[in-house]
Amino acid sequence: MTFINNQQENSSKNSELRGFIKFNDYPKDLQNGELFLSKESTFMYQDPPIGDPFEGFLLNKKVPITSYKDILSCYSKNSESYISCFTALYESDFENDGYIKKDTVDRLKKLDSNNKERAAVIFPKDAIISCFDKLMCIFFYLRLRQKISDQKSKKYDAMEKIYNLDELDDFDNFDNVTIKADFIQYIDMQIEESRTLCKDDKEKLEKWKPSDNDLSLFEKYLYKCFFEKPKKNGKYRYDIQNEYKVVLTIFATEKIKMPENIKLKLDFSHEGIKIFKHNELNKISRSDVMYPTFGAGGKLKSAELIYK
């Protein structure tokens, strides 16, 4: 993953990644492998300290003038991105006795959306990192299947069985599906140059047509929209979020109905995932996130498109 070192330098003094935490309204379902991805637009314009004015936009010193929807509209106005986020826990978040630090608990509680006092789900690092590495492979082969549907190779048939691609048949209705998972890179806006969509690339995107069959320019700027944030904006600091994000983007030229959410069903049965009540976060210990993940990361069991 590209930005582990940047993330640690920003917020965790280069200490070692230990695991992840996610507040959730349905912690038992998440522990059992139900992960919901919601439209990026539902996360935009939220109040600080959770939301920031650059969520889903290219970073720019003056105003966020280009959003992820502006970029996707060059493909079609029907395309959409779906996200889910986690907070990373590092060695520096734990005391010498192994328990989580009080200031880390206080910081985490501030990051619980709208102070709902929700339970937290704790993941060993390999349960998440390996899981999304696998998902990126799965969706790579999904794109491959869409391209070679008329001439499947023996190698592809084997991959279809390994990655359980039959569970992704609903995605065949779309032109392309991509997935990215990474740590947020926090940018110093005081010294960073304006990060707008450059003129040449803007013209290339506007002239893009499906027959070009190359999404690299879309992926380049979508990555900037989703995985780059300011370290701070005014009195609010965002680098304390230690955020890890997964983004699934559906590219569709046809005017078909797009889902509101995507539910991934993952096999977390051997991943040592635990639940802590909101008032028991101080009981989290280093050993809770260093559980040996015998399953080597959650495996995809199914994917469901959820419509209104």
Side-chain angles (χ1 to χ4, degrees):
M1 292 298 166
T2 309
F3 292 117
I4 291 180
N5 291 332
N6 286 336
Q7 175 72 14
Q8 291 171 343
E9 180 179 342
N10 286 337
S11 305
S12 302
K13 301 179 181 178
N14 291 316
S15 63
E16 185 177 354
L17 175 68
R18 290 302 186 192
F20 297 90
I21 183 171
K22 185 175 180 63
F23 291 100
N24 198 268
D25 291 319
Y26 306 98
K28 194 66 179 177
D29 292 342
L30 180 57
Q31 184 185 42
N32 290 333
E34 290 188 4
L35 179 66
F36 282 83
L37 283 72
S38 302
K39 285 183 179 179
E40 164 67 10
S41 56
T42 64
F43 293 88
M44 299 171 71
Y45 313 112
Q46 290 191 30
D47 294 331
I50 304 299
D52 70 83
F54 299 96
E55 178 68 41
F57 289 90
L58 292 178
L59 295 185
N60 183 283
K61 282 182 180 179
K62 298 178 181 179
V63 291
I65 59 172
T66 304
S67 75
Y68 82 102
K69 288 296 287 185
D70 295 327
I71 295 166
L72 283 177
S73 67
C74 293
Y75 189 102
S76 83
K77 294 185 182 298
N78 200 37
S79 300
E80 185 58 82
S81 292
Y82 302 82
I83 75 170
S84 186
C85 303
F86 300 79
T87 298
L89 293 174
Y90 293 90
E91 176 62 29
S92 59
D93 290 312
F94 296 91
E95 300 282 9
N96 291 334
D97 65 3
Y99 284 95
I100 194 167
K101 292 180 177 178
K102 182 181 183 303
D103 61 348
T104 298
V105 172
D106 293 340
R107 172 171 58 85
L108 290 172
K109 287 182 177 180
K110 290 179 181 178
L111 298 178
D112 182 17
S113 179
N114 299 319
N115 296 314
K116 291 182 178 179
E117 298 190 356
R118 298 177 297 176
V121 184
I122 306 295
F123 302 83
K125 66 176 181 180
D126 289 336
I128 293 300
I129 298 293
S130 297
C131 171
F132 291 124
D133 281 350
K134 289 176 184 176
L135 284 176
M136 285 189 276
C137 290
I138 287 170
F139 280 93
F140 169 79
Y141 278 102
L142 176 67
R143 291 171 69 179
L144 184 63
R145 177 171 73 178
Q146 293 168 328
K147 292 178 181 179
I148 64 171
S149 57
D150 295 331
Q151 45 182 347
K152 290 186 179 180
S153 66
K154 290 183 179 179
K155 179 180 178 182
Y156 175 79
D157 288 340
M159 290 301 174
E160 185 161 338
K161 293 178 181 178
I162 292 172
Y163 290 118
N164 203 19
L165 293 186
D166 286 342
E167 296 298 336
L168 298 176
D169 285 348
D170 288 347
F171 288 95
D172 286 340
N173 295 324
F174 308 114
D175 297 347
N176 274 294
V177 181
T178 64
I179 188 167
K180 298 289 183 184
D182 213 336
F183 293 87
I184 299 300
Q185 182 182 20
Y186 295 99
I187 304 296
D188 190 338
M189 293 294 286
Q190 300 304 313
I191 62 174
E192 188 69 18
E193 303 250 339
S194 294
R195 305 176 71 82
T196 58
L197 180 61
C198 72
K199 183 179 179 181
D200 288 346
D201 285 347
K202 185 174 186 293
E203 290 177 355
K204 289 178 182 177
L205 285 173
E206 290 173 345
K207 294 178 181 179
W208 190 92
K209 51 188 181 296
S211 58
D212 293 339
N213 202 29
D214 181 4
L215 299 177
S216 59
L217 201 54
F218 287 96
E219 292 180 301
K220 171 184 175 181
Y221 283 101
L222 288 174
Y223 190 97
K224 291 180 178 293
C225 287
F226 296 132
F227 293 99
E228 294 181 357
K229 278 190 175 186
K231 287 183 178 179
K232 61 181 180 178
N233 185 51
K235 66 179 182 179
Y236 296 106
R237 286 186 58 191
Y238 298 106
D239 57 349
I240 65 170
Q241 294 179 354
N242 288 349
E243 186 177 355
Y244 180 85
K245 182 183 289 186
V246 55
V247 181
L248 188 151
T249 299
I250 294 176
F251 294 88
T253 51
E254 296 293 333
K255 290 185 177 181
I256 57 178
K257 188 175 182 180
M258 298 294 278
E260 286 298 309
N261 303 93
I262 297 170
K263 182 173 75 171
L264 301 179
K265 179 64 176 176
L266 306 163
D267 183 1
F268 280 149
S269 56
H270 300 291
E271 303 304 319
I273 296 167
K274 300 180 180 180
I275 298 173
F276 287 82
K277 294 179 180 179
H278 193 85
N279 62 357
E280 295 180 340
L281 296 182
N282 62 310
K283 296 182 180 180
I284 298 172
S285 70
R286 186 186 295 107
S287 62
D288 292 318
V289 291
M290 294 184 68
Y291 182 91
T293 54
F294 298 109
K299 299 176 182 178
L300 180 69
K301 296 174 69 176
S302 65
E304 180 183 353
L305 305 179
I306 300 175
Y307 298 88
K308 276 188 175 179

mmCIF file of all heavy atoms in Angstrom, residues 5-33:
data_model
loop_
_atom_site.group_PDB
_atom_site.id
_atom_site.type_symbol
_atom_site.label_atom_id
_atom_site.label_comp_id
_atom_site.label_asym_id
_atom_site.label_seq_id
_atom_site.Cartn_x
_atom_site.Cartn_y
_atom_site.Cartn_z
ATOM 1 N N ASN A 5 3.934 4.834 4.986
ATOM 2 C CA ASN A 5 4.950 5.648 5.636
ATOM 3 C C ASN A 5 4.506 7.093 5.783
ATOM 4 O O ASN A 5 4.744 7.718 6.800
ATOM 5 C CB ASN A 5 6.268 5.583 4.856
ATOM 6 C CG ASN A 5 6.917 4.221 4.956
ATOM 7 O OD1 ASN A 5 6.712 3.519 5.944
ATOM 8 N ND2 ASN A 5 7.685 3.829 3.952
ATOM 9 N N ASN A 6 3.849 7.627 4.753
ATOM 10 C CA ASN A 6 3.352 8.995 4.863
ATOM 11 C C ASN A 6 2.358 9.113 6.000
ATOM 12 O O ASN A 6 2.365 10.061 6.781
ATOM 13 C CB ASN A 6 2.673 9.412 3.547
ATOM 14 C CG ASN A 6 3.684 9.670 2.452
ATOM 15 O OD1 ASN A 6 4.835 9.980 2.727
ATOM 16 N ND2 ASN A 6 3.259 9.519 1.213
ATOM 17 N N GLN A 7 1.464 8.127 6.091
ATOM 18 C CA GLN A 7 0.446 8.153 7.126
ATOM 19 C C GLN A 7 1.079 8.107 8.512
ATOM 20 O O GLN A 7 0.702 8.841 9.407
ATOM 21 C CB GLN A 7 -0.494 6.962 6.938
ATOM 22 C CG GLN A 7 -1.526 6.796 8.024
ATOM 23 C CD GLN A 7 -2.588 7.842 7.940
ATOM 24 O OE1 GLN A 7 -2.702 8.540 6.937
ATOM 25 N NE2 GLN A 7 -3.371 7.998 8.974
ATOM 26 N N GLN A 8 2.054 7.253 8.685
ATOM 27 C CA GLN A 8 2.685 7.127 9.987
ATOM 28 C C GLN A 8 3.437 8.402 10.343
ATOM 29 O O GLN A 8 3.420 8.859 11.475
ATOM 30 C CB GLN A 8 3.644 5.930 9.975
ATOM 31 C CG GLN A 8 2.921 4.593 9.878
ATOM 32 C CD GLN A 8 3.874 3.445 9.641
ATOM 33 O OE1 GLN A 8 5.010 3.643 9.243
ATOM 34 N NE2 GLN A 8 3.410 2.247 9.866
ATOM 35 N N GLU A 9 4.081 9.006 9.360
ATOM 36 C CA GLU A 9 4.836 10.217 9.622
ATOM 37 C C GLU A 9 3.904 11.343 10.027
ATOM 38 O O GLU A 9 4.192 12.131 10.916
ATOM 39 C CB GLU A 9 5.618 10.612 8.369
ATOM 40 C CG GLU A 9 6.444 11.883 8.547
ATOM 41 C CD GLU A 9 7.209 12.214 7.291
ATOM 42 O OE1 GLU A 9 7.373 11.328 6.427
ATOM 43 O OE2 GLU A 9 7.632 13.360 7.159
ATOM 44 N N ASN A 10 2.744 11.418 9.398
ATOM 45 C CA ASN A 10 1.801 12.490 9.692
ATOM 46 C C ASN A 10 1.248 12.402 11.098
ATOM 47 O O ASN A 10 1.073 13.407 11.764
ATOM 48 C CB ASN A 10 0.625 12.442 8.694
ATOM 49 C CG ASN A 10 1.027 12.939 7.325
ATOM 50 O OD1 ASN A 10 1.983 13.684 7.189
ATOM 51 N ND2 ASN A 10 0.311 12.494 6.313
ATOM 52 N N SER A 11 0.938 11.211 11.566
ATOM 53 C CA SER A 11 0.147 11.112 12.779
ATOM 54 C C SER A 11 0.679 10.154 13.828
ATOM 55 O O SER A 11 0.219 10.182 14.951
ATOM 56 C CB SER A 11 -1.279 10.664 12.407
ATOM 57 O OG SER A 11 -1.827 11.530 11.456
ATOM 58 N N SER A 12 1.625 9.308 13.483
ATOM 59 C CA SER A 12 1.973 8.247 14.409
ATOM 60 C C SER A 12 3.472 8.079 14.616
ATOM 61 O O SER A 12 3.922 7.034 15.075
ATOM 62 C CB SER A 12 1.368 6.925 13.916
ATOM 63 O OG SER A 12 -0.013 7.041 13.806
ATOM 64 N N LYS A 13 4.241 9.104 14.259
ATOM 65 C CA LYS A 13 5.672 9.125 14.558
ATOM 66 C C LYS A 13 6.387 7.869 14.048
ATOM 67 O O LYS A 13 7.239 7.296 14.714
ATOM 68 C CB LYS A 13 5.891 9.303 16.068
ATOM 69 C CG LYS A 13 5.275 10.577 16.622
ATOM 70 C CD LYS A 13 5.496 10.694 18.113
ATOM 71 C CE LYS A 13 4.841 11.972 18.655
ATOM 72 N NZ LYS A 13 4.993 12.097 20.119
ATOM 73 N N ASN A 14 6.004 7.474 12.824
ATOM 74 C CA ASN A 14 6.651 6.333 12.173
ATOM 75 C C ASN A 14 6.546 5.032 12.962
ATOM 76 O O ASN A 14 7.378 4.144 12.820
ATOM 77 C CB ASN A 14 8.126 6.642 11.897
ATOM 78 C CG ASN A 14 8.277 7.692 10.819
ATOM 79 O OD1 ASN A 14 7.614 7.644 9.801
ATOM 80 N ND2 ASN A 14 9.136 8.664 11.058
ATOM 81 N N SER A 15 5.550 4.910 13.824
ATOM 82 C CA SER A 15 5.391 3.664 14.554
ATOM 83 C C SER A 15 4.693 2.628 13.681
ATOM 84 O O SER A 15 4.097 2.942 12.660
ATOM 85 C CB SER A 15 4.601 3.888 15.848
ATOM 86 O OG SER A 15 3.293 4.331 15.571
ATOM 87 N N GLU A 16 4.750 1.388 14.119
ATOM 88 C CA GLU A 16 4.256 0.282 13.301
ATOM 89 C C GLU A 16 2.739 0.193 13.315
ATOM 90 O O GLU A 16 2.091 0.355 14.349
ATOM 91 C CB GLU A 16 4.845 -1.027 13.822
ATOM 92 C CG GLU A 16 4.499 -2.237 12.966
ATOM 93 C CD GLU A 16 5.153 -3.505 13.473
ATOM 94 O OE1 GLU A 16 5.964 -3.422 14.419
ATOM 95 O OE2 GLU A 16 4.840 -4.581 12.924
ATOM 96 N N LEU A 17 2.176 -0.074 12.135
ATOM 97 C CA LEU A 17 0.742 -0.292 12.026
ATOM 98 C C LEU A 17 0.360 -1.555 12.778
ATOM 99 O O LEU A 17 0.983 -2.610 12.607
ATOM 100 C CB LEU A 17 0.344 -0.424 10.549
ATOM 101 C CG LEU A 17 -1.116 -0.769 10.264
ATOM 102 C CD1 LEU A 17 -2.035 0.390 10.657
ATOM 103 C CD2 LEU A 17 -1.304 -1.114 8.787
ATOM 104 N N ARG A 18 -0.682 -1.477 13.620
ATOM 105 C CA ARG A 18 -1.122 -2.636 14.398
ATOM 106 C C ARG A 18 -2.485 -3.163 13.949
ATOM 107 O O ARG A 18 -2.727 -4.365 13.956
ATOM 108 C CB ARG A 18 -1.187 -2.268 15.883
ATOM 109 C CG ARG A 18 0.171 -2.039 16.529
ATOM 110 C CD ARG A 18 1.039 -3.266 16.388
ATOM 111 N NE ARG A 18 2.301 -3.153 17.123
ATOM 112 C CZ ARG A 18 3.310 -3.985 16.966
ATOM 113 N NH1 ARG A 18 3.225 -4.984 16.100
ATOM 114 N NH2 ARG A 18 4.425 -3.824 17.647
ATOM 115 N N GLY A 19 -3.417 -2.279 13.611
ATOM 116 C CA GLY A 19 -4.747 -2.748 13.247
ATOM 117 C C GLY A 19 -5.645 -1.586 12.863
ATOM 118 O O GLY A 19 -5.179 -0.472 12.586
ATOM 119 N N PHE A 20 -6.960 -1.858 12.870
ATOM 120 C CA PHE A 20 -7.933 -0.854 12.452
ATOM 121 C C PHE A 20 -9.137 -0.880 13.392
ATOM 122 O O PHE A 20 -9.431 -1.902 14.027
ATOM 123 C CB PHE A 20 -8.409 -1.125 11.021
ATOM 124 C CG PHE A 20 -7.330 -1.036 9.993
ATOM 125 C CD1 PHE A 20 -6.585 -2.153 9.653
ATOM 126 C CD2 PHE A 20 -7.035 0.169 9.369
ATOM 127 C CE1 PHE A 20 -5.576 -2.088 8.710
ATOM 128 C CE2 PHE A 20 -6.022 0.250 8.432
ATOM 129 C CZ PHE A 20 -5.294 -0.875 8.099
ATOM 130 N N ILE A 21 -9.811 0.250 13.434
ATOM 131 C CA ILE A 21 -11.035 0.351 14.220
ATOM 132 C C ILE A 21 -12.102 1.027 13.369
ATOM 133 O O ILE A 21 -11.794 1.906 12.552
ATOM 134 C CB ILE A 21 -10.786 1.147 15.532
ATOM 135 C CG1 ILE A 21 -12.047 1.184 16.397
ATOM 136 C CG2 ILE A 21 -10.283 2.556 15.248
ATOM 137 C CD1 ILE A 21 -11.791 1.768 17.800
ATOM 138 N N LYS A 22 -13.340 0.593 13.529
ATOM 139 C CA LYS A 22 -14.449 1.190 12.781
ATOM 140 C C LYS A 22 -15.684 1.240 13.674
ATOM 141 O O LYS A 22 -16.121 0.195 14.182
ATOM 142 C CB LYS A 22 -14.753 0.377 11.515
ATOM 143 C CG LYS A 22 -15.828 0.985 10.607
ATOM 144 C CD LYS A 22 -15.960 0.171 9.336
ATOM 145 C CE LYS A 22 -17.030 0.736 8.398
ATOM 146 N NZ LYS A 22 -16.706 2.102 7.919
ATOM 147 N N PHE A 23 -16.227 2.439 13.880
ATOM 148 C CA PHE A 23 -17.492 2.572 14.597
ATOM 149 C C PHE A 23 -18.624 2.196 13.655
ATOM 150 O O PHE A 23 -18.596 2.511 12.468
ATOM 151 C CB PHE A 23 -17.685 4.010 15.089
ATOM 152 C CG PHE A 23 -16.729 4.404 16.180
ATOM 153 C CD1 PHE A 23 -15.593 5.149 15.900
ATOM 154 C CD2 PHE A 23 -16.959 4.023 17.496
ATOM 155 C CE1 PHE A 23 -14.704 5.511 16.906
ATOM 156 C CE2 PHE A 23 -16.083 4.369 18.505
ATOM 157 C CZ PHE A 23 -14.953 5.120 18.210
ATOM 158 N N ASN A 24 -19.635 1.524 14.203
ATOM 159 C CA ASN A 24 -20.677 1.008 13.329
ATOM 160 C C ASN A 24 -21.998 0.889 14.071
ATOM 161 O O ASN A 24 -22.026 0.562 15.261
ATOM 162 C CB ASN A 24 -20.251 -0.355 12.773
ATOM 163 C CG ASN A 24 -21.033 -0.769 11.559
ATOM 164 O OD1 ASN A 24 -22.053 -1.445 11.662
ATOM 165 N ND2 ASN A 24 -20.581 -0.348 10.389
ATOM 166 N N ASP A 25 -23.095 1.145 13.345
ATOM 167 C CA ASP A 25 -24.430 1.012 13.940
ATOM 168 C C ASP A 25 -24.813 -0.450 14.138
ATOM 169 O O ASP A 25 -25.661 -0.767 14.973
ATOM 170 C CB ASP A 25 -25.476 1.685 13.043
ATOM 171 C CG ASP A 25 -25.327 3.202 13.014
ATOM 172 O OD1 ASP A 25 -25.078 3.788 14.084
ATOM 173 O OD2 ASP A 25 -25.440 3.787 11.924
ATOM 174 N N TYR A 26 -24.204 -1.331 13.353
ATOM 175 C CA TYR A 26 -24.517 -2.761 13.432
ATOM 176 C C TYR A 26 -23.212 -3.554 13.572
ATOM 177 O O TYR A 26 -22.798 -4.262 12.640
ATOM 178 C CB TYR A 26 -25.296 -3.204 12.191
ATOM 179 C CG TYR A 26 -26.527 -2.375 11.944
ATOM 180 C CD1 TYR A 26 -26.508 -1.323 11.015
ATOM 181 C CD2 TYR A 26 -27.711 -2.612 12.654
ATOM 182 C CE1 TYR A 26 -27.640 -0.543 10.804
ATOM 183 C CE2 TYR A 26 -28.839 -1.831 12.452
ATOM 184 C CZ TYR A 26 -28.798 -0.801 11.519
ATOM 185 O OH TYR A 26 -29.907 -0.020 11.309
ATOM 186 N N PRO A 27 -22.561 -3.421 14.729
ATOM 187 C CA PRO A 27 -21.230 -4.021 14.893
ATOM 188 C C PRO A 27 -21.194 -5.537 14.723
ATOM 189 O O PRO A 27 -20.221 -6.073 14.191
ATOM 190 C CB PRO A 27 -20.835 -3.607 16.315
ATOM 191 C CG PRO A 27 -22.127 -3.302 17.014
ATOM 192 C CD PRO A 27 -23.021 -2.743 15.959
ATOM 193 N N LYS A 28 -22.234 -6.232 15.158
ATOM 194 C CA LYS A 28 -22.254 -7.687 15.030
ATOM 195 C C LYS A 28 -22.274 -8.102 13.563
ATOM 196 O O LYS A 28 -21.592 -9.060 13.164
ATOM 197 C CB LYS A 28 -23.463 -8.270 15.769
ATOM 198 C CG LYS A 28 -23.387 -9.776 15.976
ATOM 199 C CD LYS A 28 -22.258 -10.161 16.914
ATOM 200 C CE LYS A 28 -22.191 -11.662 17.147
ATOM 201 N NZ LYS A 28 -21.053 -12.034 18.006
ATOM 202 N N ASP A 29 -23.054 -7.371 12.762
ATOM 203 C CA ASP A 29 -23.098 -7.667 11.328
ATOM 204 C C ASP A 29 -21.735 -7.437 10.685
ATOM 205 O O ASP A 29 -21.290 -8.232 9.839
ATOM 206 C CB ASP A 29 -24.147 -6.798 10.631
ATOM 207 C CG ASP A 29 -25.568 -7.166 11.043
ATOM 208 O OD1 ASP A 29 -25.762 -8.280 11.573
ATOM 209 O OD2 ASP A 29 -26.482 -6.344 10.832
ATOM 210 N N LEU A 30 -21.060 -6.352 11.085
ATOM 211 C CA LEU A 30 -19.731 -6.069 10.541
ATOM 212 C C LEU A 30 -18.739 -7.138 10.973
ATOM 213 O O LEU A 30 -17.923 -7.603 10.173
ATOM 214 C CB LEU A 30 -19.264 -4.687 11.002
ATOM 215 C CG LEU A 30 -17.878 -4.239 10.521
ATOM 216 C CD1 LEU A 30 -17.780 -4.264 9.002
ATOM 217 C CD2 LEU A 30 -17.553 -2.847 11.056
ATOM 218 N N GLN A 31 -18.807 -7.537 12.229
ATOM 219 C CA GLN A 31 -17.933 -8.604 12.714
ATOM 220 C C GLN A 31 -18.150 -9.886 11.913
ATOM 221 O O GLN A 31 -17.206 -10.646 11.660
ATOM 222 C CB GLN A 31 -18.193 -8.860 14.197
ATOM 223 C CG GLN A 31 -17.262 -9.902 14.815
ATOM 224 C CD GLN A 31 -17.636 -10.221 16.255
ATOM 225 O OE1 GLN A 31 -18.821 -10.356 16.592
ATOM 226 N NE2 GLN A 31 -16.636 -10.336 17.116
ATOM 227 N N ASN A 32 -19.378 -10.115 11.492
ATOM 228 C CA ASN A 32 -19.711 -11.307 10.715
ATOM 229 C C ASN A 32 -19.437 -11.136 9.218
ATOM 230 O O ASN A 32 -19.764 -12.029 8.428
ATOM 231 C CB ASN A 32 -21.167 -11.688 10.936
ATOM 232 C CG ASN A 32 -21.415 -12.220 12.339
ATOM 233 O OD1 ASN A 32 -20.518 -12.769 12.975
ATOM 234 N ND2 ASN A 32 -22.634 -12.057 12.838
ATOM 235 N N GLY A 33 -18.867 -9.985 8.853
ATOM 236 C CA GLY A 33 -18.416 -9.831 7.472
ATOM 237 C C GLY A 33 -19.272 -8.980 6.562
ATOM 238 O O GLY A 33 -18.999 -8.916 5.365
#
